[in-house]
Amino acid sequence: MPPSAAYRNPVLKALSSLWLTLVCMSLLMVLVVACTLLQVPLGTHEAVVRTIHSFIVWWRPEGASFKVPVFPGGALVGLVLLLNLIFAQFLRLELSRRKAGLWIAHLGLALLFVGEFTTGMFQVESQMPIKVGQTSDYSEDYRLMELAVMDRTDPKTDTVTAIPESILRKGGEIKTPSLPFTLRVLHYYPNSVLGMRGAGDPPAEATAGIGPNLSVRPAPRVTQDDEADSAAALVEVDDGGKDLGRYWLSNALGAPQGFTLEGRTWRLALRPRRYYLPYTLTLEQFHHDVYPGTDIPKNFSSLVRLKDPARGEDRDVLIHMNAPLRYAGKTFYQASFGQGDTLSVFQVVQNPGWTIPYISCVLVALGLLLHFWLKLSASFGRSP
Amino acid sequence: MKKKTARKNPRVLFWGIFAAAVLAAAAPLLIPAPKEAFPVAAFGRLPVLEGGRVKPLDTFARNSLLIIRGTQTLPLKGRTVPAVKWLMDAMWRPEAADTQPVFLIDDPDVRGLLGLTDKARRFAYWQIEPKRDEIHTQAQHAAMVKSAERSRFQSAVITLDSRLNLYEQIKNTLMISGDGDPAADMAVFAQVVPAALRVVHGGKATAKDRQAVKVLSQLLERYRFLAQAAAFRPLPPPADRPADAWTSIGEAMLKPSAKDGPHPGLADYALMGRAYRGSDPAAFTEALTRFSQWAEQERPGMMSHARAEVLFNSAQPFVSGMALYVAALLAVFAWWGTRRPEAEAAAKALFGAAVLVHTVGLAARIALQGRPPVTNLYSSAVFVGWVSAALGLVAERAHRKGFAIAGGALLGFCTLVIAQHLSASGDTMEMMRAVLDSNFWLATHVVTVTIGYGSTFLGAALGVAWVGRKHLVKDPDPEMTKALVSLTYGVICFSLLFSFVGTTLGGIWADQSWGRFWGWDPKENGALLIVLWNASILHARWAGYIRERGLMVMAVGGGIVTSLSWFGVNMLGIGLHSYGFMAQAFYWLAAFIFSQLLLIWLGLLPARFWEIEDEEEEA
């Protein structure tokens, strides 16, 4: 379409206008400032979800049950800005050598949006704690819970049925072909305060496990990034009318609880959501180096053994600061440590679009350099 | 003929002023230090291990005094006592050091707690000592409160407690708080060990031997205390040991090397202590020389590094740089006021000298630390100023009107003042914590993003110059205005390039170390704001929504955005990048932002408020 035709269509004209660009950039600046300030009371994750990773920013008045839209969210502004960029590029910007820099820079910018979108949609983050000498084949997401129902009859292998948090939140009856009984979620608290039951507490709702001795009260979710929720669920198990007990389950409780049914041993646990890997990592050594005479950390490093029979991999890998292990679409970073330097925690990230920002950064930098260089040389060329 | 000299004169003048300015900056190195009875300067060049790195005692003394007193020297009875001299007193003659007013106490509640009623701001250790335990208890209580929620008293009492701890550690580094004679202790130690060993190994023990065991256990107790209390490790490892195997006096006494016997530095430090306490400069010099020669032979690299750092400490290039920037700024004003070529030459010469001194200081830091220029908030201030000033120097060559000098000099001065204040928290060449320990990323991401800060600030300074000119200059030269505007435009383009590349490189570093390119962390958001702001200015200009005035006023706004992202986010006290809460800096930041908003408002006043008709409105 020649540029003149585009100007006749008011929608296209608006979509490709620099005015829209400026409006979006201003909105984005407001959102970024809001997101930064909200991190103090809400914590990073919640602030980002409310302002940036949403189409509309909602505001709920104190104590009200309704919420009002107050501002366009980051996702909406970003999407409009991307459309605006594409339309402006093709309808307004001439395809010439003079503008080559801008073309490259804007292409890089569009890629950056695509990369951020891909990350938002497909990135899965979890953590993998391993003790020195131990082997693990799964990582955990501490933000999401799951109800694990384990058949422990065979001492060698557990058969696990995991029920995701989204189903627990809905409550009600859970039936699945892999379980010979029915589960009923009576309460689900994303965060709770667990304590021993005192004399003044209301009668216990749980009937089995350690539940009868517990008092469980719902609590607001934690906001600080270094705190963790203690989720709790009251689950009733019944086998076609026969009551097998009501259990209080929580990730804050230690050992799984359970019962025996028709010769099989069943265990129930509420635990962080697990992602199983088709290979294993064994932590051979963990080092926490400090500068001499101080406790300023200099480096954290983990020597792990990667074993993947399917691919014929069996080798040592050193994971340390700024040097992650990238393997089979996942990246393992040295994230944390504990238990007197015998436990190493890896951040496990799966992001199919992780290379996009690298390309985009190079494109924008080259594009801007080219553009400013062309402009500068033109202006110096004109004036003697 | 006359014309020729007029043209030639400023040139001679330029080089004359330039040379004089550089010479003035080098003065601290050229003027000999005042005579002292003891070789204080030579003692200050001895290397020690503290805070994870090898540094000369001079640096440790300056930083300690800076933490405790807020200054690098100690004015006492009309004399200026160098920090090393104060350190020597604290280590060997604490009875004298305890009477020197070094503890800075500003908080009225803490003064009340101590029962101090004098008007002075600084107090001696003996004035605090009676309430020492109380201070410690209060500080422990206050430490339970999260740092952002502490009251002013709680923060102040924690600060005082840590200053007292540092001082007490210093007193117990080379000997136990001036108690006894370390050289005599060592002799006794050497004497009793064989006798005590006889008892331990079940040989025939006499009553004298049993007495020796008693003496030995007392001495061991003392050395154990010294090993644990020491503020630094003074004994370098011999050439055949690992380079970081430094030891303290106590550690070296407790674990003598099986092969070589006691560390040779032990005897020399003990003799230095005895000589200092006994006012015997000759004996002190002898022990110091012997130890220096030994260290020079075993660790020549560490010795020359320590000497270089002492040279840097005494040169104080950033202090002279500050003075030169002010001089350059005044000269620019004189040039604009008088339009005389002499003033122009002076402005250019002074600014050139200031940038040169600033560059030398920066290069010296890079060489001493073996790191890229920006490693912490302090060095970011030094570097932001250098970028602004160096860019100003380049820009001045393109448009020779003095604006770039004025902007660069103003920013160079302000950032060096900020750096001076930030240095009060201790060693400015501190070690890099694990994730930051990467010269590659410090050199790429941190340097580019800081260049972005510096150039955005320069754009803001040019905007301020534009607003000032509009209001103050009666008959502005349109060519000069045009030069100023096109200069600002160029600087904003430069800022966008560097802030964008710096920000995305930061994302890539984050992807390398934490697995996320972008986490909406406050510092990342701050950097993004600078990019968005600069991009908005350029897009608005290209679309024609803003012209000269809009461009210049928005450039002033760039200064606000940058200051918020540089310092404001640290005040949130959250996020991966936060360096700690800076309550005092908060008010300065607020004042800066208010002043810039005022300037923006002045710049936006309608045309009839201008003394001169606005060309833009006429057009």
Side-chain angles (χ1 to χ4, degrees):
Chain A
M1 180 158 35
S4 56
Y7 287 128
R8 270 183 245 124
N9 183 330
V11 177
L12 284 183
K13 193 178 167 188
L15 256 180
S16 66
S17 72
L18 270 173
W19 178 83
L20 185 64
T21 315
L22 284 167
V23 168
C24 285
M25 284 204 276
S26 311
L27 292 176
L28 207 54
M29 280 192 260
V30 174
L31 281 170
V32 170
V33 170
C35 167
T36 311
L37 295 179
L38 281 175
Q39 289 185 20
V40 180
L42 297 179
T44 311
H45 181 73
E46 186 64 20
V48 171
V49 167
R50 285 207 200 167
T51 52
I52 307 287
H53 287 170
S54 61
F55 282 86
I56 302 284
V57 180
W58 298 93
W59 175 64
R60 189 191 294 275
E62 200 76 35
S65 57
F66 59 91
K67 52 185 185 175
V68 272
V70 283
F71 211 78
L76 182 62
V77 176
L79 196 66
V80 173
L81 200 55
L82 181 60
L83 285 178
N84 173 247
L85 177 67
I86 294 166
F87 277 94
Q89 196 71 20
F90 288 102
L91 297 181
R92 285 181 183 253
L93 201 60
E94 59 185 283
L95 193 55
S96 69
R97 259 183 45 189
R98 224 160 51 81
K99 302 280 182 192
L102 286 184
W103 274 91
I104 299 173
H106 283 151
L107 176 68
L109 203 58
L111 257 182
L112 199 59
F113 278 96
V114 173
E116 188 55 16
F117 181 75
T118 323
T119 302
M121 294 295 287
F122 301 111
Q123 173 156 296
V124 181
E125 275 186 48
S126 52
Q127 297 207 306
M128 185 170 188
I130 315 180
K131 277 191 194 172
V132 174
Q134 290 192 343
T135 302
S136 174
D137 65 344
Y138 63 86
S139 60
E140 296 175 313
D141 183 348
Y142 293 101
R143 283 217 194 81
L144 287 177
M145 292 292 144
E146 66 185 14
L147 171 59
V149 186
M150 294 163 270
D151 179 354
R152 288 228 166 135
T153 317
D154 181 351
K156 285 199 198 105
T157 49
D158 290 355
T159 313
V160 181
T161 307
I163 297 151
E165 181 174 327
S166 52
I167 294 178
L168 301 179
R169 274 168 186 265
K170 279 186 206 138
E173 216 157 82
I174 301 167
K175 266 188 192 162
T176 146
S178 60
L179 299 178
F181 43 79
T182 310
L183 297 168
R184 207 167 290 115
V185 181
L186 303 176
H187 294 301
Y188 183 76
Y189 305 144
N191 188 22
S192 65
V193 181
L194 298 177
M196 295 313 286
R197 252 171 55 76
D201 284 324
E205 291 182 87
T207 57
I210 65 164
N213 301 322
L214 289 178
S215 93
V216 182
R217 277 173 291 122
R221 299 200 66 168
V222 298
T223 55
Q224 296 307 311
D225 296 332
D226 54 353
E227 295 173 312
D229 285 319
S230 308
L234 184 65
V235 178
E236 187 177 66
V237 189
D238 91 63
D239 170 24
K242 187 183 156 212
D243 185 12
L244 293 168
R246 272 189 217 156
Y247 297 85
W248 266 122
L249 305 173
S250 169
N251 59 320
L253 296 174
Q257 309 166 55
F259 50 89
T260 312
L261 179 68
E262 292 164 3
R264 305 197 80 81
T265 311
W266 294 93
R267 289 288 174 266
L268 303 173
L270 191 66
R271 65 183 191 189
R273 170 148 186 209
R274 283 188 187 179
Y275 300 98
Y276 285 92
L277 307 170
Y279 45 90
T280 62
L281 292 183
T282 309
L283 182 62
E284 297 186 333
Q285 285 171 22
F286 174 70
H287 286 286
H288 171 182
D289 308 333
V290 295
Y291 288 101
T294 67
D295 46 17
I296 305 172
K298 182 176 165 55
N299 193 23
F300 301 100
S301 60
S302 298
L303 183 67
V304 295
R305 186 85 186 172
L306 168 69
K307 279 189 192 167
D308 187 349
R311 294 200 195 189
E313 295 268 15
D314 187 357
R315 58 184 162 105
D316 279 344
V317 185
L318 186 68
I319 300 175
H320 57 110
M321 305 311 292
N322 297 318
L325 158 70
R326 294 188 193 274
Y327 186 73
K330 287 193 170 63
T331 314
F332 298 78
Y333 302 86
Q334 182 69 54
S336 184
F337 64 101
Q339 300 185 3
D341 294 349
T342 62
L343 176 84
S344 183
V345 183
F346 301 106
Q347 173 92 350
V348 185
V349 178
Q350 182 174 12
N351 180 8
W354 72 274
T355 46
I356 297 177
Y358 290 68
I359 302 166
S360 140
C361 176
V362 171
L363 285 179
V364 177
L366 284 180
L368 287 180
L369 264 179
L370 183 62
H371 183 68
F372 294 143
W373 181 68
L374 285 174
K375 286 208 96 164
L376 267 182
S377 59
S379 79
F380 277 117
R382 254 184 282 126
S383 54
Chain B
M1 187 67 200
K2 206 181 164 194
K3 208 175 172 186
K4 202 175 178 185
T5 45
R7 208 188 304 154
K8 204 179 168 186
N9 266 342
R11 191 137 210 205
V12 174
L13 199 64
F14 172 87
W15 287 110
I17 296 174
F18 182 79
V22 172
L23 212 63
L29 294 179
L30 304 175
I31 299 169
K35 271 262 170 255
E36 299 265 2
F38 284 91
V40 172
F43 181 70
R45 285 193 286 268
L46 287 184
V48 298
L49 182 92
E50 192 267 337
R53 77 175 181 99
V54 178
K55 57 181 83 170
L57 273 170
D58 181 71
T59 300
F60 174 72
R62 282 171 190 262
N63 289 337
S64 304
L65 195 57
L66 202 57
I67 291 170
I68 293 173
R69 192 181 189 278
T71 58
Q72 290 197 1
T73 51
L74 171 63
L76 205 67
K77 296 176 197 140
R79 284 189 62 213
T80 305
V81 177
V84 183
K85 182 80 173 49
W86 163 79
L87 184 75
M88 290 162 85
D89 278 345
M91 293 190 301
W92 287 317
R93 294 179 58 220
E95 62 278 9
D98 283 355
T99 65
Q100 297 163 352
V102 288
F103 288 93
L104 177 67
I105 306 176
D106 274 331
D107 186 78
D109 295 345
V110 174
R111 285 154 169 258
L113 181 74
L114 292 168
L116 300 170
T117 48
D118 338 8
K119 289 236 160 58
R121 292 175 68 203
R122 297 186 173 92
F123 301 88
Y125 186 75
W126 70 267
Q127 290 174 287
I128 304 168
E129 206 175 3
K131 295 276 180 120
R132 178 65 186 99
D133 292 341
E134 173 77 11
I135 294 287
H136 186 61
T137 316
Q138 291 286 345
Q140 277 184 323
H141 286 313
M144 308 281 208
V145 183
K146 274 188 192 169
S147 63
E149 290 162 11
R150 281 179 203 146
S151 69
R152 198 188 55 186
F153 168 78
Q154 287 172 328
S155 308
V157 85
I158 287 178
T159 308
L160 179 59
D161 186 54
S162 68
R163 286 174 178 162
L164 289 165
N165 278 341
L166 175 60
Y167 181 70
E168 286 155 359
Q169 283 183 318
I170 290 172
K171 290 207 292 187
N172 295 302
T173 300
L174 298 184
M175 59 188 292
I176 297 180
S177 201
D179 182 28
D181 172 2
D185 281 355
M186 270 186 67
V188 172
F189 189 75
Q191 228 172 41
V192 295
V193 166
L197 280 179
R198 275 200 296 277
V199 177
V200 174
H201 291 304
K204 226 172 120 189
T206 61
K208 217 172 152 194
D209 290 345
R210 276 193 290 277
Q211 179 59 26
V213 173
K214 210 165 159 191
V215 173
L216 180 68
S217 74
Q218 279 167 2
L219 281 173
L220 284 176
E221 189 60 34
R222 289 170 71 86
Y223 288 128
R224 245 176 251 131
F225 174 73
L226 271 182
Q228 164 233 320
F232 56 82
R233 299 179 179 191
L235 303 174
D240 55 353
R241 303 261 297 124
D244 58 2
W246 288 67
T247 43
S248 67
I249 300 287
E251 287 162 346
M253 287 302 292
L254 294 173
K255 283 185 203 149
S257 154
K259 190 163 56 107
D260 315 315
H263 193 288
L266 276 173
D268 289 330
Y269 264 109
L271 288 172
M272 279 190 258
R274 173 190 275 177
Y276 194 79
R277 286 185 69 74
S279 301
D280 184 354
F284 186 93
T285 310
E286 194 195 319
L288 172 63
T289 312
R290 192 169 45 234
F291 177 62
S292 305
Q293 278 166 354
W294 175 83
E296 189 69 56
Q297 185 195 321
E298 300 290 319
R299 294 277 171 193
M302 281 176 186
M303 291 296 277
S304 62
H305 190 271
R307 279 196 296 273
E309 192 169 327
V310 172
L311 204 65
F312 174 75
N313 289 346
S314 46
Q316 302 251 7
F318 302 131
V319 175
S320 16
M322 239 188 285
L324 287 175
Y325 280 128
V326 174
L329 200 59
L330 293 176
V332 174
F333 291 147
W335 170 19
W336 287 343
T338 62
R339 310 215 170 183
R340 292 185 68 89
E342 293 86 0
E344 178 180 349
K348 289 182 174 167
L350 286 169
F351 185 62
V355 176
L356 178 69
V357 170
H358 198 158
T359 312
V360 169
L362 193 67
R365 269 187 64 90
I366 295 171
L368 283 173
Q369 210 181 355
R371 292 268 183 205
V374 186
T375 51
N376 52 16
L377 204 53
Y378 166 84
S379 51
S380 79
V382 171
F383 191 65
V384 163
W386 181 81
V387 168
S388 310
L391 267 181
L393 202 64
V394 174
E396 185 63 28
R397 289 190 69 82
H399 304 271
R400 298 157 186 273
K401 307 286 185 198
F403 295 116
I405 292 185
L410 182 68
L411 288 166
F413 171 71
C414 292
T415 50
L416 287 183
V417 169
I418 292 172
Q420 198 72 12
H421 282 274
L422 289 171
S423 70
S425 58
D427 193 356
T428 61
M429 296 191 212
E430 65 206 330
M431 304 313 284
M432 305 305 292
R433 287 175 178 273
V435 79
L436 300 174
D437 184 18
S438 155
N439 276 355
F440 175 73
W441 290 113
L442 286 172
T444 50
H445 157 63
V446 180
V447 166
T448 18
V449 88
T450 318
I451 289 177
Y453 287 181
S455 90
T456 313
F457 272 130
L458 183 65
L462 294 173
V464 171
W466 182 86
V467 173
R469 253 169 69 81
K470 278 285 180 186
H471 280 285
L472 300 175
V473 180
K474 282 255 172 338
D475 183 21
D477 174 5
E479 203 191 319
M480 260 174 109
T481 311
K482 208 178 144 213
L484 180 57
V485 175
S486 76
L487 192 62
T488 313
Y489 180 81
V491 169
I492 294 172
C493 292
F494 186 86
S495 308
L496 177 65
L497 174 65
F498 277 84
S499 50
F500 181 86
V501 173
T503 307
T504 39
L505 280 176
I508 290 176
W509 185 7
D511 183 64
Q512 291 286 329
S513 48
W514 299 309
R516 54 171 81 105
F517 173 75
W518 196 260
W520 302 100
D521 172 87
K523 200 80 185 169
E524 293 167 350
N525 290 353
L528 177 62
L529 280 178
I530 300 180
V531 175
L532 283 171
W533 185 261
N534 281 322
S536 303
I537 301 180
L538 293 181
H539 284 91
R541 181 70 196 88
W542 291 330
Y545 298 129
I546 58 169
R547 304 179 70 165
E548 179 187 317
R549 182 202 295 197
L551 181 79
M552 301 311 278
V553 164
M554 282 184 85
V556 177
I560 300 181
V561 177
T562 311
S563 67
L564 279 174
S565 118
W566 188 16
F567 281 103
V569 296
N570 296 338
M571 291 167 189
L572 287 171
I574 49 163
L576 299 161
H577 291 275
S578 53
Y579 313 92
F581 197 77
M582 306 178 296
Q584 267 185 319
F586 177 80
Y587 295 102
W588 283 102
L589 182 66
F592 169 75
I593 291 172
F594 178 74
S595 70
Q596 300 302 296
L597 287 174
L598 196 70
L599 281 167
I600 289 178
W601 175 73
L602 278 176
L604 288 175
L605 283 179
R608 61 195 159 87
F609 286 99
W610 296 106
E611 273 180 54
I612 316 93
E613 282 294 289
D614 194 330
E615 296 153 22
E616 189 186 317
E617 303 294 321
E618 282 171 13

